[in-house]
């Protein structure tokens, strides 16, 4: 598609929200308006492309003063994949494919391209629309930081900051009560949030999905600290962590058309620690606090850079790509390549080696 063909674009935000979404929306909108393009916001993830009453015009006025705001002015949804929409029938829930309606609606509204701000799941859906003829530029969003091809996704820095603040606070109460505090953080199948916040917050144990843990090693570490007079410990557990030879802990069965929800491993680890060490132990789940609030400076700037870069890519005739941070540049990479596999923590990475040098127990 050449530059001259773009007249009208749509922007959607899919999947779980991440701090920085509004910065991307603002930058992409202003950059597109500056080129004389019309910009439409798709409300509620992909749902707005099925029911076009969810399309809203984006103007300089509607994106004013939103860079610092969390959430998404367009709303978002991590259900409602048009390729697999759940429908209740007498014999249970089945999924139906309504993607052809999305394509027809897109064309009927004269839209030339979609800027899809999403994580792994939403960008996979976007890629399926590419194959159905919708030109897409992806923008990598997720607090989990698990998208390949970009050094970092926006939202991650804010989530790590929130988790680190929580760990700092847990230290004081853990020390006062001489307890073990176990905190479960998000991240799905990747340990980025756990590792970065655990290390920054001075955790004693960090358990990540990439390294199945041995609970005996975790307890040894706590008991070594106890013997040295350090009568409290902080354990950070990624929601996707699992014991050696064990399974992931999930919250209920997988619902049709959406990812299975992880959670509960923190409580299990806390119970095991209490049983094996006799220490008073408490668990908490940080949960959606990690997605809430305004973005850090880093995420605001990255969001603005990604939004502007997405429009530049379209203006240069690049579609079916994802913008990606490759410091100091924001570049574009093939969308298909970006979603081929998720980005997990390399066990030989400098951050893992740093944790080991500091004596942090990684459960192995
Ligand atoms: O992908 C972002 C994320 O926050 C994950 O870290 C977490 O597993 C999931 O979304 C939670 O989803 P929900 O908002 O549906 O509870």
């Amino acid at each position: 598609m050449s530059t001259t063909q773009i007249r009208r674009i749509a922007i959607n935000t899919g999947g779980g929200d991440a701090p920085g979404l509004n910065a991307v929306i603002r930058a992409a909108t202003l950059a597109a308006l500056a080129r004389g393009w019309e910009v439409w916001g798709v409300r509620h993830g992909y749902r707005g492309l099925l029911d076009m009453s969810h399309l809203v015009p984006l103007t300089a006025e509607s994106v004013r003063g939103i860079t610092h705001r969390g959430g998404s002015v367009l709303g978002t949804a991590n259900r409602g994949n048009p390729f697999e929409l759940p429908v209740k029938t007498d014999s249970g829930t089945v999924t139906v494919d309504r993607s052809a309606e999305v394509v027809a609606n897109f064309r009927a509204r004269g839209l030339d391209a979609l800027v899809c701000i999403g994580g792994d799941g939403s960008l996979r859906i976007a890629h399926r629309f590419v194959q159905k003829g919708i030109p897409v530029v992806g923008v990598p969003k997720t607090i989990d930081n698990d998208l390949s091809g970009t050094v970092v996704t926006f939202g991650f820095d804010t989530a790590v900051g929130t988790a680190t603040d929580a760990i700092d606070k847990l230290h004081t109460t853990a020390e006062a009560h001489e307890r073990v505090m176990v905190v479960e953080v998000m991240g799905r199948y990747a340990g980025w949030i756990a590792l970065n916040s655990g290390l920054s917050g001075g955790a004693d144990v960090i358990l990540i999905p990439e390294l199945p843990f041995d609970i005996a090693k975790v307890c040894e570490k706590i008991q070594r600290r106890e013997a040295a007079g350090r009568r409290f410990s902080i354990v950070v557990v990624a929601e996707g962590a699992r014991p050696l030879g064990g399974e992931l802990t999930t919250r209920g069965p997988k619902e049709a058309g959406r990812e299975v929800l992880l959670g509960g491993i923190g409580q299990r680890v806390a119970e095991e620690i209490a049983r094996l060490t006799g220490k008073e132990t408490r668990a908490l789940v940080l949960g959606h606090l990690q997605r809430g609030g305004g973005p850090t400076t880093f995420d605001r700037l990255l969001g603005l850079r990604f939004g502007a870069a997405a429009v530049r890519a379209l203006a240069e005739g690049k579609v079916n790509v994802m913008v990606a941070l490759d410091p100091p540049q924001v570049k574009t990479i093939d969308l298909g390549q970006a979603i081929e596999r998720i980005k997990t923590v390399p066990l030989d990475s400098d951050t893992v080696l740093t944790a080991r040098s500091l004596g942090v127990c990684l459960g192995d």
Side-chain angles (χ1 to χ4, degrees):
M1 172 165 299
S2 77
T3 313
T4 49
Q5 280 175 290
I6 299 271
R7 286 280 173 274
R8 193 173 292 139
I9 64 167
I11 302 177
N12 81 334
T13 60
D17 66 332
L21 276 170
N22 288 323
V24 182
I25 295 168
R26 175 168 157 81
T29 301
L30 294 182
L33 293 175
R35 291 179 189 273
W37 303 350
E38 228 176 77
V39 189
W40 290 84
V42 184
R43 297 207 24 89
H44 309 125
Y46 283 96
R47 216 186 319 153
L49 288 174
L50 273 171
D51 172 356
M52 301 302 262
S53 66
H54 290 267
L55 273 191
V56 291
L58 290 178
T59 62
E61 188 54 42
S62 59
V63 299
R64 197 180 305 284
I66 61 171
T67 303
H68 64 291
R69 281 173 50 193
S72 165
V73 291
L74 293 175
T76 188
N78 48 13
R79 54 180 84 216
N81 173 359
F83 289 89
E84 285 173 55
L85 275 177
V87 176
K88 287 204 173 91
T89 66
D90 292 343
S91 47
T93 303
V94 295
T95 57
V96 293
D97 180 355
R98 292 182 60 191
S99 58
E101 284 171 61
V102 168
V103 177
N105 286 340
F106 199 83
R107 298 219 166 105
R109 288 299 282 258
L111 293 164
D112 298 312
L114 174 68
V115 173
C116 172
I117 313 171
D120 179 41
S122 313
L123 292 180
R124 271 178 214 287
I125 298 171
H127 189 247
R128 291 179 77 178
F129 280 120
V130 164
Q131 284 147 359
K132 289 187 158 254
I134 293 187
V136 169
V137 172
V139 178
K141 165 241 65 166
T142 167
I143 65 161
D144 304 336
N145 193 34
D146 59 354
L147 269 165
S148 300
T150 184
V151 165
V152 72
T153 54
F154 76 84
F156 173 64
D157 186 63
T158 309
V160 169
T162 300
T164 305
D165 282 351
I167 297 167
D168 286 348
K169 291 191 166 126
L170 287 177
H171 259 103
T172 56
T173 173
E175 189 164 14
H177 283 268
E178 300 189 336
R179 282 174 172 160
V180 177
M181 298 298 297
V182 179
V183 55
E184 179 182 304
V185 297
M186 285 183 168
R188 295 202 67 80
Y189 308 109
W192 298 104
I193 298 179
L195 184 63
N196 286 26
S197 64
L199 208 43
S200 310
D204 306 295
V205 179
I206 304 173
L207 305 178
I208 59 175
E210 292 82 351
L211 210 49
F213 62 87
D214 178 350
I215 194 72
K217 301 276 182 191
V218 173
C219 293
E220 271 168 31
K221 168 75 184 181
I222 292 167
Q223 275 158 339
R224 269 202 311 277
R225 282 176 56 76
E226 191 80 7
R230 309 290 288 158
R231 308 208 56 227
F232 71 97
S233 292
I234 303 288
V235 179
V236 176
V237 185
E239 63 182 358
R242 62 190 163 88
L244 268 173
E247 297 298 321
L248 284 170
T249 311
T250 58
R251 280 187 274 146
K254 184 184 174 325
E255 275 180 44
R258 66 170 304 182
E259 294 266 346
V260 68
L261 288 175
L262 303 179
I265 185 66
Q267 181 63 34
R268 285 180 58 192
V269 166
E271 283 166 12
E272 281 294 276
I273 291 173
R275 188 176 67 81
L276 295 168
T277 66
K279 288 282 301 172
E280 193 171 36
T281 303
R282 295 284 187 270
L284 86 152
V285 179
L286 215 47
H288 295 81
L289 277 178
Q290 294 159 98
R291 297 221 306 250
T296 56
T297 312
F298 182 88
D299 281 337
R300 291 177 198 195
L301 188 57
L302 186 60
L304 293 170
R305 292 175 69 195
F306 277 169
V311 168
R312 260 196 327 271
L314 283 174
E316 287 164 10
K318 292 183 194 157
V319 284
N320 313 335
V321 292
M322 182 185 86
V323 297
L325 182 68
D326 181 10
Q329 302 297 326
V330 170
K331 62 178 187 181
T332 53
I333 61 166
D334 179 66
L335 182 59
Q337 194 193 324
I339 56 166
E340 232 164 54
R341 67 184 64 84
I342 65 160
K343 179 181 72 185
T344 52
V345 176
L347 294 180
D348 60 354
S349 67
D350 168 72
T351 319
V352 170
L353 298 180
T354 303
R356 293 199 189 283
S357 304
L358 294 176
V360 175
C361 169
L362 298 175
D364 62 339

